[in-house]
C-alpha cells in the first residue's frame, strides 16, 4: 500500500535493515510497533518491503513527532530487542520531503 501524505513539506524516516535470521517474535513486534506508530501524533503513514534488505519508510508531520516516536518507551524496547536479536545491521535516515507526486489508475 502506498501511504497517503499531506502537503509538503513533511518528513520521511527510512529504516533499512538486514536481519540475523532469528525470527523470535519479530513479526509480532513489527506489527505492534506499526499499530502503535499509527496512534502517535504526527504520524502520516508507512510503506514497507523485505527481501535481502528490509526497507520501511514512515512519514511524519515534523521532526518533533519523529523524536517523540524514537523516544517512546515501547519503541525503545523494540529498538533494543532489534539490536540484540533481529538485526545484523541497519541504517536510519531522516529526510525532509520537499516535493511529491502520485499516479494511480
Amino acid at each position: 500500500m502506498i501511504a497517503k501524505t499531506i502537503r509538503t513539506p513533511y518528513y520521511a524516516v527510512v529504516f533499512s535493515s538486514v536481519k540475523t535470521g532469528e525470527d523470535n517474535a519479530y513479526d509480532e513486534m513489527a506489527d505492534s510497533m506499526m499499530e502503535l506508530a499509527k496512534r502517535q501524533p504526527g504520524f502520516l503513514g508507512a510503506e514497507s518491503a523485505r527481501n535481502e534488505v528490509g526497507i520501511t519508510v514512515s512519514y511524519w508531520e515534523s521532526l518533533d513527532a519523529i523524536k517523540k516516536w524514537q523516544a517512546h518507551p515501547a519503541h525503545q524496547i523494540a529498538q533494543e530487542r532489534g539490536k540484540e536479536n533481529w538485526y545484523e545491521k541497519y541504517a536510519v535516515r531522516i529526510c525532509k520531503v520537499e516535493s511529491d507526486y502520485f499516479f494511480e489508475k
Side-chain angles (χ1 to χ4, degrees), residues 50-104:
R50 176 159 294 284
N51 210 334
E52 294 88 31
V53 175
I55 299 175
T56 298
V57 182
S58 59
Y59 301 99
W60 300 85
E61 289 180 356
S62 67
L63 289 173
D64 187 56
I66 293 168
K67 288 176 186 172
K68 287 179 180 172
W69 170 238
Q70 183 181 24
H72 190 287
H75 191 209
Q76 290 278 313
I77 291 168
Q79 290 173 55
E80 286 305 312
R81 288 194 62 198
K83 290 175 190 174
E84 293 169 5
N85 301 311
W86 298 313
Y87 298 121
E88 174 117 358
K89 56 185 162 183
Y90 66 83
V92 178
R93 297 171 177 101
I94 300 172
C95 315
K96 185 176 185 180
V97 179
E98 298 282 349
S99 178
D100 64 13
Y101 56 93
F102 298 89
F103 169 78
E104 185 175 346

